[in-house]
Each structure stands twice: as structure tokens, then as C-alpha cells.
RNA sequence: GGAGGGGUGCCCGAGUGGUCGAAGGGGGCGGCCUUGAAAGCCGCUGAGGGUCUAGUGCCCUCCGGGGGUUCGAAUCCCUCCCCCUCCGCCA
């Protein structure tokens, strides 16, 4: 969330920056409530002060063995007045908190102005798109023909937007996960963690999924627990309500987790194939850094994610999201889009964001600056490194051959028992 | 699921109704000592909020969360959450 004091002191700036995102936010209402809140705080605190002094006096009288009945009745009245004011204040504060949680982060000044994804700007291209002497096919056709996807049985055991990976498909998914984890831990200095895939409500609020985006989440019945939509949630919340020493920064984490998304409102989008599933695997990079260099850290985070695609030989482009397409909690986001020749389009495969102190303030993640000064909020960043299912999709489409087989990228072969080509799976059923 | 014990500051830990925001230790910061460091010694060191004359100011809140009793709660009561031990169940 935003800093209430900053909003109060720079309302025009905040208004203007929120306007860049488009949409309506309850800023004016918040400012009004904040004024009321501060007035109530003063009244309450004055009363408390009075009561405190009077109570102390009673203690003094009692010690001297004097009569205190007159004083106690007076203070009791004071207490009752205080109680009703406190209740009022509590309600106002709850409302302020609610409004604050519904206001998104302010876009960074380097984020291009724009209304929606059409205004995102391509900032980089890498790799040559493969040329084929046949018409390249989409991954769902390749995968089903190879027998590595089974959508029919997935629909039977669960429902739509699920898939069963079989044989070399399952192995390829597993190889990708391990390959990515190895790259980020060994070459990029990330610490590997394997967090819970289920988190509580406080964690979801900490990273910004709740309270606003409840409909995107799977919730466990009779529990205040949710399936994670991304490892960003458990990993960022690792340090919720902590104060870490400055010398511990920056903290780099990498985590493999499955991700669960209700995909409410995406009916009819990407219904074919494995691009948009209710459950998918992802390797996620998360950074906790000091505010001074978070934008440099965003650039290196992006490069760390890009390197996965480079090593796999998959062509891609990087776009910077415009203000209108920016996620709720993010101040700046780069998307990496991999080339999918079977669909003749680029598909998002990673999203790398700097949240500045927006999540840190929600989740109360701070660091103590060297020299023992007051704690400050860290900056948090995260990025997919990468979405595993979509990487598998890109491999099928970019490495497909005329005969329907798929070449395994060289870096993955050690992870697949030396397998060089994926051929039709020979299963009796 | 049953029985018991516990949650206090950056960390550990004392504190069972009244100057208790809280002993002590660790850590951190500063100083002395030292060629330098370690050790030793001395001092400082919680967080959040409100306010103005903006000060090394004044005030309020915070001892797991919420509620209650009381003139007054870290301390008493209720409730919820979490952790530990034993038993049961279990991959």
C-alpha cells in the first residue's frame, strides 16, 4: 500500500500518477477520512492523557489512605466518553485501511503512458525466429500427437484447463524445472527455497492478491487458506513483519512451485493447449533489496530470466508494460514474450516487476540501515524465471520437425537421460 | 483428536494490578585501550502514530490477535491464533 503520509502531503502528485493507470480509486474519500481520523486521534489522546493523570492521582491518594470515591466516579465518566470515541476512531481507521488496500501502486516515471497492452513498448528482441520448410503447428497438436499431453483424461479427473503430462512430456517439464533452478542458484546467486503451496490470508494481503482479487484465487473450504497463484506470495512473505540487517541485503530467492489460478474472467481465452491452465509450474525469482538500487536490481532480474531462454535457444522479445497494463502492486514491469511459431505470436513467459516499498509496507518488511538508524521498508521485486509450461510449449513449437518429432534443446539433454529427440510415446493405452 | 506447557523489544529472557516501555544478557552503534585487531572497560540503542513554537520538543498507543473486568492491565477473565512436550492417528 501507499504511505498515508505521502498521500496526505502530495495529494496532487498521487492523483496524477493514479490517473496514468486509468480507473477510479477512492483517493478523495481517503483524504477526507484521514482528516477526520486525525481529529479523532487528537480528541482520544487528550482524553487518555486526562485519564492517565487522574488514575495516577488516585494511586497517590490511595497510598496515603485517603478517600477516592469522588475521583473514581469522575474518571469513570471520562472512561465512558473515551470508550465511545475510541470505537468511532476504530471504525474510521478500519475504513482508511480498507481504502488504502484498494489503491494500487504508483507507476514509476520511466513507465510509458498508455491505456492497455497495445501501448506496451518493445524494448528488446533476441534470437532468430526459426524458419520451417513446412507449416509449423501449434503445441497442442504436436503434444497430443506425440502422446505427451492428455487433455481428455485431465478433464475427466478434474475439469477443463488441466492437463496430464505423459512420458517424455512429464520428463521435459521436470527437466526444465531442474535446469532453471540450477541456473539461478549456481550462476546467478539465488538461494533455493521450497515453500508451502498453501498460504493464509495475511500472506495474500501482504503481496496484494487480497482483498481486491479474491475471485482469481482458489480458497480451501472451511479454511482461511488459499492455493498460491505464484511463489511470489509465500516467498515474499518469508520476511513478513521482520527487520533484517542492511548487510543481509540484497536477498535473492528462487523457488519452484505449482501455481493455481481460478482464471475468472478469462473464459474463451487460450482455451486450446497449455498456455492458460488452472494449475501450472513456475520457477520464481524474488529479491529483497535496499531502495537505492531497486531499479538496477530489476534490470539484472530481467537478465537472469532472459538467460533461461537464451540457453534454451528460444527467440523472445522484452516489453515494458505501459501505465494502463501495469499490475496492481507493481511500479514497473517488464514482460518477456517468447516466440510461438505454431501460433504466429509472442506469448508472455515471464513478468519481472519492481514493487518498490508497496508490498513491503503491506507486509511490514523492513531493514535496519547500517549505523543503527530507524528501520526502513525494503524494496521487493520478482520475476518468473520462467513459467515452465509455457517454456515447454515454446520448445515444442520452436523445435518441432516435419515428421512431428521434437528436438530436445542441448542444455536439457543431461536432465533427460541424454534424450535428443522426443518421438511418439509408445504406450499401450 | 486428548492432556499439559508457553508466546514479552532486533534476538534471548525476567517480570502476576499502580512512575513498567518493561530487569538482565546478546547483538548493533559510539568511545577508551591497541601499530592494527581481539579481549576488557564505559556510554548509547524498541516500534508505530498524533501534534506544533519543528526541539537531542510535547502527547498517545503497543508485552501473539480480538474482546472484557477495573479509577488504573504485560499482570485478572473470555475468545481466537501460533509454538513446544506427551498420548492417539498417520505418509
Amino acid at each position: 500500500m501507499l504511505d498515508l503520509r505521502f498521500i496526505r502531503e502530495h495529494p496532487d502528485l498521487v492523483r496524477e500518477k493514479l490517473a496514468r493507470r486509468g480507473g477510479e480509486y477512492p483517493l478523495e474519500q481517503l483524504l477526507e477520512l484521514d482528516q477526520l481520523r486525525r481529529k479523532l486521534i487528537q480528541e482520544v489522546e487528550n482524553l487518555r492523557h486526562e485519564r492517565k493523570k487522574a488514575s495516577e492521582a488516585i494511586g497517590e491518594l490511595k497510598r496515603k489512605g485517603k478517600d477516592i470515591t469522588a475521583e473514581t466516579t469522575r474518571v469513570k465518566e471520562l472512561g465512558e466518553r473515551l470508550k465511545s470515541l475510541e470505537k468511532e476512531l476504530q471504525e474510521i481507521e478500519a475504513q482508511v485501511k480498507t481504502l488504502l488496500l484498494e489503491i494500487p501502486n504508483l507507476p514509476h516515471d520511466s513507465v510509458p503512458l498508455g491505456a492497455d497492452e497495445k501501448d506496451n513498448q518493445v524494448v528488446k528482441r533476441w534470437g532468430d525466429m526459426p524458419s520451417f520448410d513446412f507449416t509449423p503447428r501449434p503445441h497442442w497438436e504436436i503434444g497430443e500427437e506425440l502422446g505427451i499431453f492428455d487433455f481428455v483424461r485431465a478433464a475427466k479427473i478434474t475439469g477443463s484447463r488441466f492437463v496430464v503430462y505423459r512420458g517424455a512430456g512429464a520428463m521435459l517439464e521436470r527437466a526444465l524445472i531442474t535446469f532453471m533452478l540450477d541456473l539461478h542458484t549456481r550462476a546467478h546467486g539465488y538461494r533455493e527455497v521450497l515453500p508451502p503451496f498453501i498460504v493464509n490470508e495475511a500472506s495474500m494481503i501482504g503481496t496484494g492478491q487480497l482483498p481486491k482479487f479474491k475471485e482469481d484465487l482458489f480458497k480451501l473450504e472451511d479454511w482461511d487458506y488459499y492455493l498460491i497463484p505464484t511463489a511470489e506470495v509465500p516467498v515474499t512473505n518469508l520476511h513478513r513483519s521482520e527487520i533484517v540487517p542492511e548487510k543481509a541485503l540484497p536477498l535473492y530467492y528462487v523457488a519452484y512451485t505449482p501455481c493455481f489460478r481460478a482464471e475468472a474472467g478469462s473464459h474463451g481465452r487460450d482455451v486450446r493447449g497449455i498456455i492458460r491452465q488452472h494449475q501450472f509450474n513456475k520457477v520464481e525469482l524474488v529479491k529483497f533489496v535496499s531502495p537505492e538500487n531497486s531499479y538496477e536490481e530489476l534490470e539484472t532480474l530481467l537478465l537472469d530470466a532472459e538467460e533461461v531462454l537464451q540457453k534454451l535457444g528460444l527467440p523472445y522479445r522484452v516489453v515494458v508494460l505501459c501505465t494502463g497494463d501495469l499490475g496492481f502492486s507493481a511500479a514497473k514491469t517488464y514482460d518477456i514474450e517468447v516466440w510461438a511459431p505454431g501460433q504466429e505470436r509472442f506469448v508472455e513467459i515471464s513478468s519481472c516487476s519492481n514493487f518498490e516499498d508497496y508490498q513491503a509496507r503491506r507486509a511490514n518488511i523492513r531493514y535496519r540501515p547500517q549505523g543503527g538508524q530507524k528501520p526502513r521498508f525494503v524494496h521487493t521485486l520478482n520475476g518468473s524465471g520462467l513459467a515452465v509450461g509455457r517454456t515447454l510449449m515454446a520448445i515444442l513449437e520452436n523445435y518441432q520437425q516435419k515428421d512431428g518429432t521434437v528436438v530436445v534443446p542441448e542444455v536439457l539433454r543431461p536432465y533427460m537421460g541424454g534424450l535428443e529427440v522426443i518421438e511418439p510415446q509408445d504406450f499401450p493405452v
Side-chain angles (χ1 to χ4, degrees):
Chain A
M1 62 188 151
L2 301 179
D3 181 6
L4 184 56
R5 184 175 304 175
F6 183 84
I7 298 175
R8 181 192 308 143
E9 286 167 5
H10 309 90
D12 294 331
L13 182 66
V14 173
R15 197 174 293 123
E16 190 272 315
K17 288 203 176 191
L18 285 177
R20 292 184 201 174
R21 279 181 171 271
E24 293 291 316
Y25 307 103
L27 187 63
E28 311 310 323
Q29 200 186 340
L30 179 68
L31 287 166
E32 245 171 73
L33 272 174
D34 176 51
Q35 250 186 323
L36 181 57
R37 168 180 160 271
R38 286 189 297 154
K39 187 179 139 257
L40 275 171
I41 284 173
Q42 282 183 52
E43 286 178 37
V44 163
E45 290 190 349
N46 286 340
L47 277 178
R48 276 182 187 152
H49 183 64
E50 243 183 276
R51 185 186 63 178
K52 196 175 184 175
K53 291 288 168 232
S55 278
E56 280 169 14
I58 289 171
E60 190 64 25
L61 286 173
K62 229 182 151 183
R63 232 166 293 138
K64 289 177 182 161
K66 293 185 176 162
D67 179 57
I68 56 169
T69 44
E71 280 297 293
T72 49
T73 41
R74 193 177 76 81
V75 180
K76 199 168 186 167
E77 280 170 23
L78 207 67
E80 272 151 25
R81 209 147 36 100
L82 183 59
K83 196 172 272 182
S84 74
L85 265 183
E86 275 175 338
K87 196 171 166 228
E88 203 179 325
L89 177 61
Q90 217 169 24
E91 280 161 16
I92 300 291
E93 299 223 286
Q95 286 176 45
V96 166
K97 184 86 191 275
T98 303
L99 292 181
L100 223 36
L101 287 177
E102 288 181 359
I103 293 176
N105 203 353
L106 305 179
H108 188 254
D109 282 330
S110 66
V111 174
L113 272 171
D116 54 42
E117 60 181 30
K118 287 187 284 295
D119 297 319
N120 296 343
Q121 292 177 6
V122 177
V123 294
K124 182 173 184 177
R125 290 172 195 276
W126 185 92
D128 298 320
M129 296 175 183
S131 54
F132 299 92
D133 55 3
F134 57 96
T135 307
R137 295 185 298 161
H139 65 280
W140 54 86
E141 286 180 18
I142 303 165
E144 261 184 312
E145 223 157 278
L146 288 172
I148 62 174
F149 296 158
D150 188 340
F151 291 105
V152 174
R153 287 190 173 115
K156 174 174 66 184
I157 59 182
T158 309
S160 68
R161 291 201 190 280
F162 287 87
V163 66
V164 176
Y165 289 112
R166 311 194 324 156
M171 205 204 290
L172 181 55
E173 182 89 1
R174 175 162 57 89
L176 280 168
I177 293 165
T178 312
F179 164 68
M180 291 178 194
L181 287 171
D182 283 350
L183 178 67
H184 295 308
T185 54
R186 293 172 191 170
H188 301 151
Y190 290 76
R191 187 188 307 166
E192 183 175 350
V193 289
L194 183 59
F197 306 156
I198 297 173
V199 298
N200 58 30
E201 188 181 31
S203 294
M204 286 295 189
I205 289 171
T207 33
Q209 281 73 23
L210 288 178
K212 240 193 147 173
F213 305 101
K214 204 176 165 96
E215 65 282 0
D216 296 335
L217 300 172
F218 286 112
K219 184 174 191 294
L220 301 199
E221 194 170 16
D222 298 329
W223 292 76
D224 258 347
Y225 288 173
Y226 299 82
L227 299 184
I228 57 170
T230 158
E232 162 193 349
V233 179
V235 178
T236 304
N237 278 282
L238 277 177
H239 295 295
R240 169 150 53 85
S241 295
E242 289 184 16
I243 301 173
V244 301
E246 181 170 27
K247 62 171 182 269
L249 300 179
L251 283 162
Y252 293 177
Y253 290 102
V254 58
Y256 151 72
T257 71
C259 303
F260 303 91
R261 298 189 183 176
E263 293 295 346
S266 65
H267 308 294
R269 275 183 78 186
D270 306 314
V271 284
R272 309 206 62 181
I274 59 171
I275 284 177
R276 195 170 298 273
Q277 301 275 294
H278 287 306
Q279 176 188 325
F280 62 96
N281 295 307
K282 184 154 60 72
V283 169
E284 185 76 3
L285 307 171
V286 177
K287 288 184 174 186
F288 300 78
V289 309
S290 62
E292 285 71 30
N293 52 21
S294 65
Y295 280 92
E296 290 140 54
E297 293 282 0
L298 177 61
E299 297 301 320
T300 55
L301 177 73
L302 176 64
L303 290 174
D304 292 338
E306 283 180 47
E307 195 176 339
V308 179
L309 290 170
Q310 293 177 6
K311 286 221 159 12
L312 291 169
L314 294 169
Y316 66 88
R317 66 182 190 187
V318 178
V319 305
V320 57
L321 299 195
C322 72
T323 52
D325 199 28
L326 202 57
F328 184 77
S329 302
K332 182 171 187 175
T333 298
Y334 291 109
D335 275 2
I336 304 175
E337 299 179 339
V338 71
W339 175 241
Q343 304 163 67
E344 289 186 272
R345 63 164 177 148
F346 285 95
V347 174
E348 180 188 336
I349 199 165
S350 173
S351 194
C352 299
S353 304
N354 185 357
F355 301 90
E356 298 188 2
D357 63 5
Y358 187 88
Q359 290 182 328
R361 185 170 286 106
R362 288 173 85 109
N364 197 24
I365 308 168
R366 293 172 294 174
Y367 72 99
R368 186 170 310 276
Q370 232 127 32
Q373 302 137 34
K374 291 230 164 229
R376 300 175 61 195
F377 289 112
V378 301
H379 280 195
T380 60
L381 302 92
N382 66 57
S384 345
L386 307 162
V388 180
R390 289 187 182 183
T391 307
L392 188 145
M393 172 283 289
I395 288 170
L396 294 187
E397 295 199 9
N398 283 278
Y399 283 88
Q400 62 180 301
Q401 304 190 98
K402 197 167 190 172
D403 63 0
T405 63
V406 171
V407 174
V408 177
E410 233 163 285
V411 291
L412 292 179
R413 292 178 192 171
Y415 293 95
M416 298 190 62
L419 186 70
E420 291 177 15
V421 177
I422 298 175
E423 295 184 330
Q425 302 296 288
D426 186 19
F427 292 145
V429 285

